[in-house]
C-alpha cells in the first residue's frame, strides 16, 4: 500500500471502531455516530495531532457526561441516559474545526508543523484555531458535567445570586476549575504528541509548553461565555412537582437562536483570545 494511503486507511479504521463503540454505549445516536465517523476520519487522516485533540475532547467529555449520572438525573429534568449526542451537537462541537483542518490540509498536506509564526504565520493561525476551538468546547463540557456535581451553592453569573443546581448560567468554583482543566488537557495532548511528530528547534520547542496555560484560559473562556448566554437567552425554572430544573426557550426558533449564538460567540471569542495570546508567546 502506498505510504500516502496508509494514514487515511488507519484514520477510517480507528474512526469506525470509535463511532461504533460510541453508538453502542449510547454516547452518540445513529446520526451522531455517522457524522462523528466522518469528522474523526478527516482529522486523523490530515494530521495525527488534530485527531488527538479531537479524541481527547470526545473521550473525556463522554466520560464526564456519564460520571455521576444518578445525581444528575435528580437535578436535570431533561437528563438523557449516557448523555447521547446527535448530529447537530457533533456539528456544533467540531464543524468549524473540521473546516480549518481541511484548509490546513490544502496548504500543507499531512505534514506536521511547529507552532512558529516566523516559519508560517498562516499555518500557526490555523493550528491555533483548531486547538482553541477544542479547548473552548472541552472546557465548557467539563464545567457543565462536573460543576453540577459540586456541593457548592451555584450562583448566577450575571448577578451572583444563589440559584438552584442545574440552572442555566449558574457557576461554581469547581465548575470553573474544571473548565480550565478541560482546556489544559487539550493543549497538553497537542504539545506532548508534537515532541514525537515534529522536529522543532530547541527554543521553539520550549515555547510550545506555553500553549498549556493558554489552553486553560481558553477552556475557562468557553465555559464563561456559555454561562453568560445561558443566563440571558434561556429560562430555567424549578418544577416543584418533579423537584428538578427545567430549561425553556420561548419557541423552537429561540432554541435554535440560542444554539447558534452559543456556538458563534463561544467560538469567536475564544478563538480571538487564543490567537492574540498565541501570537504573543510565539514571538517571545
Amino acid at each position: 500500500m502506498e505510504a500516502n494511503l496508509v494514514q487515511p486507511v488507519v484514520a477510517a479504521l480507528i474512526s469506525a471502531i470509535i463511532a461504533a463503540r460510541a453508538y453502542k454505549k449510547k454516547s452518540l445516536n445513529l446520526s451522531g455516530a455517522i457524522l462523528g465517523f466522518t469528522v474523526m476520519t478527516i482529522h486523523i487522516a490530515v494530521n495525527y495531532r488534530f485527531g488527538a485533540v479531537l479524541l481527547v475532547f470526545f473521550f473525556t467529555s463522554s466520560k464526564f457526561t456519564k460520571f455521576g449520572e444518578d445525581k444528575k438525573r435528580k437535578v436535570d429534568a431533561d437528563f438523557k441516559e449516557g448523555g447521547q449526542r446527535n448530529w447537530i451537537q457533533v456539528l456544533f462541537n467540531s464543524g468549524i474545526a473540521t473546516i480549518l483542518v481541511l484548509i490546513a490540509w490544502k496548504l500543507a498536506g499531512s505534514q506536521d508543523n511547529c507552532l512558529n509564526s516566523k516559519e508560517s504565520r498562516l499555518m500557526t493561525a490555523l493550528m491555533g484555531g483548531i486547538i482553541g476551538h477544542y479547548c473552548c468546547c472541552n472546557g465548557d463540557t467539563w464545567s457543565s458535567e462536573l460543576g453540577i456535581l459540586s456541593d457548592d451553592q451555584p450562583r448566577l453569573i450575571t448577578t451572583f445570586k444563589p440559584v438552584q443546581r442545574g440552572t442555566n448560567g449558574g457557576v461554581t468554583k469547581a465548575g470553573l476549575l474544571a473548565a480550565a482543566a478541560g482546556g489544559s488537557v487539550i493543549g497538553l495532548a497537542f504539545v506532548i504528541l508534537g515532541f514525537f511528530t515534529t522536529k522543532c528547534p530547541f527554543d521553539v520547542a520550549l515555547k510550545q509548553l506555553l500553549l498549556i496555560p493558554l489552553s486553560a484560559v481558553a477552556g475557562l473562556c468557553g465555559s464563561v461565555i456559555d454561562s453568560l448566554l445561558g443566563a440571558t437567552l434561556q429560562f430555567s425554572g424549578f418544577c416543584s412537582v418533579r423537584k428538578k430544573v427545567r430549561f425553556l426557550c420561548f419557541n423552537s426558533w429561540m432554541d435554535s437562536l440560542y444554539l447558534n449564538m452559543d456556538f458563534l460567540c463561544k467560538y469567536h471569542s475564544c478563538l480571538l483570545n487564543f490567537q492574540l495570546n498565541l501570537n504573543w508567546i510565539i514571538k517571545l
Side-chain angles (χ1 to χ4, degrees):
M1 184 180 297
E2 294 183 14
N4 60 347
L5 292 178
V6 172
Q7 192 163 330
V9 171
V10 170
L13 288 174
I14 293 175
S15 301
I17 293 170
I18 294 174
R21 183 177 181 276
Y23 177 69
K24 183 178 180 181
K25 295 287 185 179
K26 296 183 178 181
S27 295
L28 298 170
N29 68 9
L30 182 58
S31 66
I34 293 172
L35 184 56
F37 164 77
T38 304
V39 167
M40 279 187 282
T41 300
I42 291 172
H43 278 64
I44 300 171
V46 171
N47 188 304
Y48 286 124
R49 281 207 288 176
F50 296 159
V53 294
L54 169 61
L55 293 179
V56 168
F57 164 59
F58 175 70
F59 283 126
T60 61
S61 296
S62 297
K63 184 68 175 179
F64 287 137
T65 297
K66 295 179 180 180
F67 183 73
E69 283 188 333
D70 291 339
K71 191 171 184 178
K72 292 173 184 176
R73 189 180 291 106
K74 296 176 182 178
V75 174
D76 184 2
D78 298 315
F79 174 82
K80 289 184 180 180
E81 195 72 35
Q84 198 171 52
R85 263 77 170 176
N86 58 29
W87 72 271
I88 297 176
Q89 290 162 310
V90 173
L91 179 64
F92 279 127
N93 280 304
S94 61
I96 293 295
T98 303
I99 293 173
L100 295 180
V101 167
L102 290 172
I103 294 173
W105 170 73
K106 183 67 175 178
L107 293 174
S110 295
Q111 178 183 349
D112 204 350
N113 296 279
C114 304
L115 288 169
N116 186 358
S117 57
K118 294 179 181 178
E119 181 179 302
S120 175
R121 185 179 296 273
L122 180 55
M123 280 303 300
T124 297
L126 287 170
M127 290 191 290
I130 295 163
I131 302 164
H133 178 93
Y134 287 118
C135 286
C136 294
C137 292
N138 207 42
D140 177 32
T141 304
W142 280 36
S143 177
S144 299
E145 299 299 341
L146 297 180
I148 197 172
L149 301 177
S150 172
D151 292 328
D152 294 341
Q153 174 66 57
R155 292 182 178 276
L156 195 65
I157 194 169
T158 51
T159 63
F160 298 107
K161 292 181 179 180
V163 292
Q164 291 284 346
R165 186 172 285 106
T167 300
N168 268 321
V171 297
T172 62
K173 292 179 181 178
L176 294 176
L177 287 173
S184 66
V185 298
I186 297 295
L188 182 65
F190 191 84
V191 169
I192 290 178
L193 190 56
F195 288 146
F196 300 97
T197 61
T198 62
K199 295 181 180 179
C200 305
F202 182 72
D203 60 328
V204 175
L206 285 180
K207 290 180 183 179
Q208 312 295 299
L209 295 173
L210 295 174
L211 184 67
I212 300 171
L214 179 57
S215 297
V217 173
L220 182 61
C221 178
S223 175
V224 169
I225 292 171
D226 183 71
S227 296
L228 286 170
L229 290 171
T232 54
L233 291 183
Q234 275 196 316
F235 169 76
S236 299
F238 184 74
C239 178
S240 59
V241 176
R242 301 180 66 183
K243 305 297 182 183
K244 296 180 179 180
V245 172
R246 291 192 63 85
F247 304 140
L248 175 67
C249 277
F250 299 108
N251 52 46
S252 59
W253 179 83
M254 280 296 294
D255 191 51
S256 178
L257 173 65
Y258 169 74
L259 285 173
N260 283 280
M261 284 291 291
D262 176 39
F263 170 71
L264 291 174
C265 289
K266 183 194 304 179
Y267 175 73
H268 285 101
S269 298
C270 287
L271 181 57
L272 177 61
N273 174 70
F274 194 89
Q275 292 287 19
L276 288 174
N277 286 281
L278 179 63
N279 286 330
W280 178 73
I281 65 173
I282 291 300
K283 290 178 180 179
L284 284 179

